[in-house]
């Protein structure tokens, strides 16, 4: 059962305006935004994925749900924004080549930014050269996101590229199909299954 059922249903149905109104009302009521995220918004995306698996919805429905979700995230983003202190470190994040899913990546970026790091968001469909450029610009940690089993192998290419040339950059990976076993197998420096844990992984990588 979702925390805020109205919000959960509005995301599933892709009702962007309703999502904006409900999230704004929660913010105005000083509700805990992390709780809204974890108990209503993320479960809604999981539910739409399950319905897609069962052929109950198709790509257009997933897309409008994703847009509605992103509108809600955009309202929450400033609340998690950093405190104006000197950044704790420089991090780059991107969804890997061939993959256009960005909601999880955006959420991780928001949380890491909120924890006090400077975050360079490289967007989606990122090939190795985009990450290379970020490292050249000072990124100490690169975070790779993949939502498709077909794009996960590209993470290994990126790890091989940086490890192969002896780079000291730390590489963290994540996304729904990614596991700790996979991270170990490809030699990534860390993995986490959600945005909160991702912050801990960044802290550990830079410790
Ligand atoms: C929304 C969605 C879409 C939207 C994406 C819109 C957008 N702007 O992102 C659209 C409609 C475009 C889409 C397209 C496709 N999709 Co899609 N999509 C989804 C859906 C329903 C939700 C994804 C999501 O946003 N989840 C919510 C976020 C918050 O969760 P998350 O991404 O997992 O992120 C969390 C963690 O994983 C972690 N994390 C994420 N990244 C990182 C990175 C690091 C470094 C770390 C530490 C942690 C971390 O933290 C996040 C927050 O807690 C999933 C279903 C699902 N259950 O995942 C299918 C799903 C991923 N899609 C799927 C498919 C098949 C497709 C298509 C191939 C469909 C098609 N036939 O065209 C295309 C591929 C397009 C492409 N080239 O990328 C399949 C993948 C199956 C597989 N095994 O590979 C899924 C699983 C649906 C299903 N059940 O079959 N999709």
């Amino acid at each position: 059962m979702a925390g805020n059922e109205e919000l959960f249903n509005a995301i599933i149905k892709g009702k962007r305006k309703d999502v904006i109104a409900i999230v704004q009302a929660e913010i105005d009521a000083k509700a805990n935004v992390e709780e809204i995220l974890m108990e209503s918004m993320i479960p809604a995306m999981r539910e739409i994925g399950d319905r897609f698996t069962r052929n109950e919805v198709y790509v257009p429905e997933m897309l409008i749900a994703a847009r509605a979700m992103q509108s809600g995230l955009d309202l929450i983003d400033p609340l998690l924004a950093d405190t104006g202190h000197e950044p704790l470190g420089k991090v780059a994040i991107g969804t890997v080549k061939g993959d256009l899913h960005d909601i999880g990546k955006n959420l991780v970026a928001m949380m890491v930014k909120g924890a006090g790091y400077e975050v360079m968001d490289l967007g989606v469909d990122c090939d190795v050269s985009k990450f290379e450029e970020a490292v050249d610009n000072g990124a100490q940690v690169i975070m790779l996101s993949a939502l498709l089993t077909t794009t996960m192998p590209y993470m290994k290419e990126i790890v091989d590229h940086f490890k192969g040339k002896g780079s000291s950059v730390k590489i963290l990976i994540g996304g729904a199909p990614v596991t700790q076993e996979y991270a170990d197998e490809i030699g990534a420096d860390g993995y986490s299954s959600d945005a909160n844990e991702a912050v801990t992984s960044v802290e550990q990588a830079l410790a």
Side-chain angles (χ1 to χ4, degrees), residues 7 29 84 113 179:
L7 177 56
K113 198 165 62 165
T179 60

Side-chain angles (χ1 to χ4, degrees), residues 172-187:
L172 305 180
I173 65 171
V178 180
T179 60
Q180 181 65 56
E181 289 68 39
Y182 186 68
D184 294 341
E185 186 189 316
I186 68 171

Side-chain angles (χ1 to χ4, degrees), residues 11-26:
I11 292 175
I12 288 180
K13 292 188 185 128
K15 297 198 163 170
R16 205 173 143 265
K17 285 185 184 157
D18 289 358
V19 171
I20 292 171
I22 299 166
V23 172
Q24 191 57 56
E26 292 275 18

Side-chain angles (χ1 to χ4, degrees), residues 42 45-46 48-50 52-53 59 62-63 66 69 93 98-105 107-108 143-145 147-150 172-176 191-195 198:
I42 294 178
M45 294 313 293
R46 202 168 301 132
I48 194 90
D50 292 346
F52 178 77
T53 306
V59 172
M62 277 207 289
L63 192 57
M69 170 83 172
I93 186 165
D99 203 320
L100 304 175
H101 295 85
D102 67 355
I103 294 175
K105 185 255 311 158
L107 206 45
V108 172
M143 306 185 82
L144 318 179
S145 183
L147 266 286
L148 299 171
T149 44
T150 49
L172 305 180
I173 65 171
Y191 155 81
S192 45
S193 62
D194 66 47

Side-chain angles (χ1 to χ4, degrees), residues 23-41:
V23 172
Q24 191 57 56
E26 292 275 18
I27 292 171
D28 294 344
K30 308 244 177 304
N32 179 335
V33 287
E34 278 194 51
E35 218 169 271
I36 301 167
L37 260 174
M38 299 305 168
E39 291 176 12
S40 309
M41 300 177 75

